[in-house]
């Protein structure tokens, strides 16, 4: 089979998210004959799927590997990401050549029974719209459950509490959201329906 020489790091996750530390190895990786190698340097083994989503400043990836063990992850500022793991008595090597550069020092990852999740920080702010350089393999899919478009992302940053109070006031009236206005309206309504006189004795009412 084809041989692909890579420097890999073998580290264990720290806390809920692992922080990458780099350790080099000169041993070549032997690829299985069915491994998908695409122009651009991305390598996806058979049976592995990668889902991803992005924000202007970061990427979220999930590499679906059943019950991964002996997980090793590495990344470079040039956008090369390597994920190695044992699963079902075989060693899986995933190689991603990302579309653009990242800040490898900020890469975080964690492993679970469903696979390996990564958070990658982009070196420059901006949308990529694609994950990898060259041809995107069919086994790389957008995670639509985490998808947020640029307009929604901007609004989330401007209004972190989830709504634009100025737009709501424009739609509901200038006094929308004012506790004072609500209190005055309630007092006015109570006065309109209160027909009692101050000098009258209260009538006792019994309920059964």
């Amino acid at each position: 089979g084809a041989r692909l020489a890579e420097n890999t790091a073998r580290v264990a996750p720290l806390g809920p998210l692992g922080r990458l530390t780099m350790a080099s190895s000169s041993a070549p990786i032997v690829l299985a004959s069915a491994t998908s190698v695409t122009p651009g340097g991305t390598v996806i083994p058979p049976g592995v799927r990668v889902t991803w989503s992005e924000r202007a400043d970061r990427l979220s990836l999930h590499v679906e590997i059943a019950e991964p063990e002996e997980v090793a992850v590495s990344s470079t500022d040039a956008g090369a990401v390597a994920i190695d793991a044992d699963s079902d008595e075989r060693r899986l090597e995933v190689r991603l050549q990302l579309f653009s550069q990242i800040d490898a020092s900020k890469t975080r990852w964690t492993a679970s029974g469903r696979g390996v999740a990564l958070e990658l920080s982009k070196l420059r702010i901006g949308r990529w719209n694609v994950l990898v350089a060259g041809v995107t393999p069919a086994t790389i899919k957008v995670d639509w459950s985490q998808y947020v478009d640029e307009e929604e992302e901007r609004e989330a940053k401007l209004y972190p509490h989830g709504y634009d109070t100025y737009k709501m006031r424009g739609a509901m009236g200038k006094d929308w959201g004012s506790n004072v206005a609500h209190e005055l309206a309630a007092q006015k309504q109570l006065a309109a329906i209160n027909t009692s006189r101050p000098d009258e004795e209260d009538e006792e009412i019994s309920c059964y």
Side-chain angles (χ1 to χ4, degrees):
R3 289 177 179 270
L4 177 66
E6 290 282 349
N7 287 335
T8 61
R10 300 183 181 275
V11 295
L14 301 177
L17 286 177
R19 178 168 185 168
L20 289 180
T21 59
M22 303 300 294
S24 63
S25 172
S26 58
I29 295 170
V30 179
L31 302 177
S33 58
T35 297
S36 171
V37 182
T38 64
T42 292
V43 180
I44 308 290
V48 175
R49 191 175 76 148
V50 178
T51 57
W52 72 286
S53 61
E54 71 170 327
R55 301 294 184 269
D57 60 341
R58 66 188 185 278
L59 302 164
S60 297
L61 279 67
H62 187 262
V63 183
E64 296 180 5
I65 299 174
E67 301 295 337
E69 297 180 349
E70 299 297 326
V71 178
V73 176
S74 67
S75 67
T76 70
D77 289 345
V81 179
I83 304 102
D84 299 341
D86 292 337
S87 178
D88 195 23
E89 299 184 350
R90 61 179 180 146
R91 188 69 177 171
L92 299 175
E93 295 104 8
V94 177
R95 300 291 180 265
L96 302 174
Q97 181 55 57
L98 301 179
F99 176 75
S100 190
Q101 296 173 313
I102 60 173
D103 185 346
S105 67
K106 296 181 180 179
T107 298
R108 301 290 183 270
W109 65 276
T110 185
S112 68
R114 297 177 55 248
V116 181
L118 298 93
E119 289 286 332
L120 308 172
S121 293
K122 296 177 180 178
L123 194 61
R124 298 179 181 86
I125 300 296
R127 291 277 177 147
W128 292 3
N129 299 318
V130 295
L131 178 63
V132 297
V135 178
T136 299
T139 47
I140 294 180
K141 303 288 186 183
V142 174
D143 184 354
W144 293 109
S145 68
Q146 300 298 321
Y147 179 81
V148 174
D149 65 27
E150 293 181 73
E151 182 64 26
E152 291 172 326
E153 185 177 1
R154 280 194 295 267
E155 287 191 0
K157 289 180 179 179
L158 289 172
Y159 313 110
H161 298 296
Y163 56 84
D164 182 346
T165 56
Y166 294 99
K167 288 182 180 178
M168 290 296 290
R169 286 179 179 176
M172 303 297 290
K174 65 180 182 179
D175 292 328
W176 180 87
S178 169
N179 289 333
V180 174
H182 289 173
E183 179 66 22
L184 291 175
Q187 291 178 4
K188 184 176 181 181
Q189 183 178 12
L190 179 62
I193 62 175
N194 184 8
T195 58
S196 63
R197 298 177 182 175
D199 56 346
E200 287 183 343
E201 293 184 5
D202 291 338
E203 181 179 357
E204 184 176 347
I205 301 176
S206 300
C207 299
Y208 299 91

